[in-house]
Amino acid sequence: MNLCDYDTIRDLLGRHGFHFSKSMGQNFLIDAQVPARIADASQADAGCGVLEIGPGIGPLTAELAQRAGKVVSIELDRSLLPVLAETMAPYPNVEIISGDVMKLDLNALAAEKFQGLTPIVCANLPYNITTPVLTRLIESPCFETITVLIQKEVAQRLSAAQGSPDGGSFSLFLQYYMETAYLFDVPREKFLPAPKVTSAVLRCVRRKQPAVQVDDEAFFFQVVRGAFLLRRKTLSNSLAAALPDFDKAAIQSAMADCGLSPDLRGERLTLQDFARLSHALLAKMA
């Protein structure tokens, strides 16, 4: 069964009485080359256990099943479960879990389902849950790689060079834990229904150690987020609004200790800059 063929999709969904849900961000791939390329990009093999989120009718799931030792797909829309039971019947190494990825213990799930396998993630993520899902995946240290199809603009931002205006606090959070690579675009006409924007594939590989060493990880990320709180303002003004325990003079003094210009904006800082700045700020509290 060609799960990317328009007529096949129409007949399949019609038989099961399925209707697309805009609130769930459902867009199904209609070009068989795309899920094959995504599965290849994930580098899944027989030694991998792949977690997939939002399989839809299963075109990417099927490609992963032909490569990986096991595939576990989490589907929130219960109306898709009978569809997946039909389309995934040829693949004994696929397990469909009905549930919400935001409510599951992903480390426990991987430990249970992927014994003896290397846990990785490969998914076509709904646009409206990209950031929270990626956060959950990053905070689940068992997953060595994350390969996702997401909105192109988001993929560009998450893979932006540190210190460039294209990045943001979440891209720095991601790059603290992962090495990111923007792989390829997927035009809107490759989906049914067609989204309003182009998509892209982003691959993230977990670092053996975080990108920089910090004194206090929670405070470090508080500084990173604070730097982007008032993005149009200078770094010192933005941090003064975000860090109530520090007055502007203390922040400017810490910036000077790090050799940072007083009129600098937060978007220009790298992870290394933020590590030095958070250290200098903590020193002011000592």
Side-chain angles (χ1 to χ4, degrees):
M1 182 184 296
N2 182 356
L3 297 178
C4 290
D5 175 71
Y6 179 82
D7 291 334
T8 300
I9 295 172
R10 182 190 60 190
D11 293 344
L12 177 68
L13 298 183
R15 279 192 283 106
H16 289 277
F18 174 83
H19 300 283
F20 286 96
S21 170
K22 188 174 182 180
S23 65
M24 291 189 181
Q26 291 171 331
N27 302 94
F28 297 167
L29 289 163
I30 53 173
D31 183 336
Q33 293 184 3
V34 176
R37 287 188 69 189
I38 298 171
D40 284 342
S42 76
Q43 298 182 19
D45 58 27
C48 292
V50 184
L51 178 70
E52 184 190 19
I53 300 152
I57 63 173
L60 177 57
T61 322
E63 292 290 344
L64 292 168
Q66 295 171 57
R67 295 163 172 78
K70 184 170 184 178
V71 180
V72 172
S73 297
I74 302 171
E75 179 53 62
L76 179 62
D77 189 346
R78 295 185 64 85
S79 67
L80 280 170
L81 299 182
V83 179
L84 287 162
E86 177 181 342
T87 60
M88 293 299 104
Y91 305 103
N93 61 336
V94 171
E95 180 177 351
I96 306 298
I97 293 179
S98 175
D100 185 345
V101 68
M102 298 303 297
K103 297 178 180 179
L104 295 172
D105 184 334
L106 299 183
N107 283 319
L109 185 149
E112 176 189 352
K113 304 295 185 180
F114 299 145
Q115 294 183 34
L117 299 172
T118 300
I120 67 173
V121 175
C122 186
N124 172 12
L125 291 182
Y127 293 157
N128 57 351
I129 61 168
T130 297
T131 297
V133 169
L134 281 177
T135 300
R136 289 293 315 280
L137 295 173
I138 294 164
E139 292 177 344
S140 301
C142 63
F143 297 110
E144 293 198 2
T145 67
I146 302 169
T147 305
V148 287
L149 177 62
I150 57 178
Q151 186 175 341
K152 178 178 180 177
E153 181 182 341
V154 176
Q156 289 174 324
R157 186 163 64 249
L158 296 183
S159 58
Q162 295 174 29
S164 77
D166 299 322
S169 61
F170 187 70
S171 62
L172 291 173
F173 169 76
L174 176 63
Q175 293 179 30
Y176 176 83
Y177 293 105
M178 317 287 285
E179 295 179 2
T180 62
Y182 183 107
L183 299 186
F184 58 88
D185 293 347
V186 180
R188 57 188 300 274
E189 60 268 20
K190 303 293 186 181
F191 296 89
L192 176 73
K196 295 180 179 179
V197 296
T198 300
S199 300
V201 174
L202 179 75
R203 177 172 163 80
C204 309
V205 179
R206 191 172 299 276
R207 301 177 187 273
K208 293 182 178 179
Q209 298 291 334
V212 293
Q213 291 186 339
V214 298
D215 302 303
D216 182 325
E217 199 169 83
F219 180 70
F220 168 77
F221 283 118
Q222 186 180 358
V223 174
V224 172
R225 290 190 298 270
F228 292 89
L229 179 65
L230 304 174
R231 188 152 185 161
R232 294 178 180 271
K233 301 292 185 179
T234 62
L235 174 63
S236 59
N237 282 332
S238 190
L239 287 179
L243 303 176
D245 293 335
F246 295 88
D247 60 29
K248 189 173 179 180
I251 292 169
Q252 290 177 329
S253 175
M255 289 175 59
D257 292 344
C258 298
L260 299 175
S261 170
D263 59 356
L264 192 68
R265 291 185 179 181
E267 65 189 20
R268 292 299 182 183
L269 271 64
T270 64
L271 286 169
Q272 186 63 51
D273 293 328
F274 277 113
R276 290 189 292 114
L277 181 57
S278 61
H279 175 79
L281 286 167
L282 286 173
K284 300 295 180 184
M285 296 181 66

